Amino acid sequence: KNQVEQSPQSLIILEGKNCTLQCNYTVSPFSNLRWYKQDTGRGPVSLTIMTFSENTKSNGRYTATLDADTKQSSLHITASQLSDSASYICVVSPITGGFKTIFGAGTRLFVKA
Amino acid sequence: SQTIHQWPATLVQPVGSPLSLECTVEGTSNPNLYWYRQAAGRGLQLLFYSVGIGQISSEVPQNLSASRPQDRQFILSSKKLLLSDSGFYLCAWSGGQLSTGELFFGEGSRLTVL
């Protein structure tokens, strides 16, 4: 069964600190892996997208990595800001079709001053 | 540029009442359209998707239905709401190849059934 597991479930960090969120997936073969940021009560917004052949992708202070051998991805946030407080969702699309896209439950990040 | 609008943002309805959530996309033609439901602590669950006018596919059996009366309009409905229909509903669109198309989400609709 295709699954996407994220850890930790929630995380509290101080403003200015770095953090790393994890995503393990069993979807195979897959077309692409994306990280989305979702503010409370809002729709998710895409941060990064990687195909199976890519190892890393950056978007400002956000850097995603992908290890297709171990089926793991991580999202690293550098110099966190209060506005980074949100849920971060790992999303994997299988090669069989975008309609079968699988969403992780997300990591809830709280950045405190 | 493309935009997606979804409304209403918040809805409180009694059990047994009807439901209509509407979603429209602007700035693109023939988009793939989706309705998702997001439960607390759970990943997004795909409810319906559509590749064209009048073409609706359902991923899970449920008390809801969807319609696509126009190319860029997607409607989620129910004739009689259940308590279990409460949740956060998200409309999304994608273009291009179905397996690689990035999903663009609306702002979401919070439904509370009492």
Side-chain angles (χ1 to χ4, degrees), chain B:
Chain B
S1 64
Q2 301 89 356
T3 58
I4 178 169
H5 302 284
Q6 181 181 344
W7 70 93
T10 306
L11 198 59
V12 181
Q13 292 285 105
V15 171
S17 65
L19 169 73
S20 181
L21 301 179
E22 191 164 342
C23 172
T24 59
V25 180
E26 297 177 359
T28 187
S29 59
N30 197 31
N32 304 310
L33 297 173
Y34 311 79
W35 277 111
Y36 286 91
R37 177 165 54 201
Q38 186 176 34
R42 306 278 295 275
L44 271 70
Q45 179 188 37
L46 179 62
L47 301 176
F48 300 96
Y49 64 90
S50 171
V51 297
I53 296 174
Q55 301 179 61
I56 309 294
S57 296
S58 174
E59 284 292 290
V60 294
Q62 57 210 314
N63 184 42
L64 303 168
S65 62
S67 62
R68 185 170 179 174
Q70 299 181 44
D71 181 45
R72 289 169 290 178
Q73 183 184 26
F74 206 23
I75 298 172
L76 183 68
S77 305
S78 173
K79 292 183 179 179
K80 289 186 177 181
L81 284 169
L82 305 173
L83 287 174
S84 58
D85 291 325
S86 293
F88 192 56
Y89 290 84
L90 287 159
C91 180
W93 74 272
S94 71
Q97 290 185 333
L98 299 179
S99 62
T100 60
E102 180 178 348
L103 289 166
F104 299 91
F105 289 89
E107 288 301 307
S109 298
R110 172 73 61 190
L111 171 64
T112 302
V113 182
L114 303 175

Side-chain angles (χ1 to χ4, degrees), chain A residues 31 34 36 38 42 46 98-99, chain B residues 38 98-99 101-103 107:
Chain A
S31 173
R34 312 179 204 130
Y36 281 81
Q38 184 178 22
R42 308 289 294 274
S46 180
F99 299 142
Chain B
Q38 186 176 34
L98 299 179
S99 62
E102 180 178 348
L103 289 166
E107 288 301 307

Side-chain angles (χ1 to χ4, degrees), chain A residues 47-51 54-59 62-65 75:
Chain A
L47 292 175
T48 64
I49 177 170
M50 291 181 291
T51 65
E54 295 180 287
N55 299 120
T56 185
K57 185 66 71 74
S58 291
N59 178 1
Y62 301 101
T63 299
T65 62
L75 181 69

Side-chain angles (χ1 to χ4, degrees), chain A:
Chain A
K1 179 180 177 182
N2 290 331
Q3 289 185 313
V4 176
E5 303 284 346
Q6 290 188 244
S7 62
Q9 191 173 21
S10 63
L11 181 64
I12 302 174
I13 62 172
L14 292 176
E15 185 179 15
K17 298 297 185 181
N18 304 334
C19 67
T20 300
L21 314 180
Q22 299 291 342
C23 174
N24 295 333
Y25 62 92
T26 60
V27 181
S28 182
F30 78 93
S31 173
N32 59 73
L33 185 149
R34 312 179 204 130
W35 282 92
Y36 281 81
K37 177 186 179 185
Q38 184 178 22
D39 293 318
T40 301
R42 308 289 294 274
V45 175
S46 180
L47 292 175
T48 64
I49 177 170
M50 291 181 291
T51 65
F52 65 90
S53 61
E54 295 180 287
N55 299 120
T56 185
K57 185 66 71 74
S58 291
N59 178 1
R61 295 180 296 102
Y62 301 101
T63 299
T65 62
L66 174 63
D67 186 335
D69 291 331
T70 61
K71 295 184 172 58
Q72 295 179 325
S73 176
S74 64
L75 181 69
H76 187 74
I77 304 175
T78 304
S80 62
Q81 300 175 359
L82 296 178
S83 59
D84 291 332
S85 294
S87 289
Y88 292 84
I89 304 172
C90 177
V91 182
V92 182
S93 293
I95 204 167
T96 51
F99 299 142
K100 301 299 182 184
T101 292
I102 301 172
F103 293 77
T107 292
R108 189 73 175 93
L109 175 65
F110 300 90
V111 180
K112 294 196 170 184

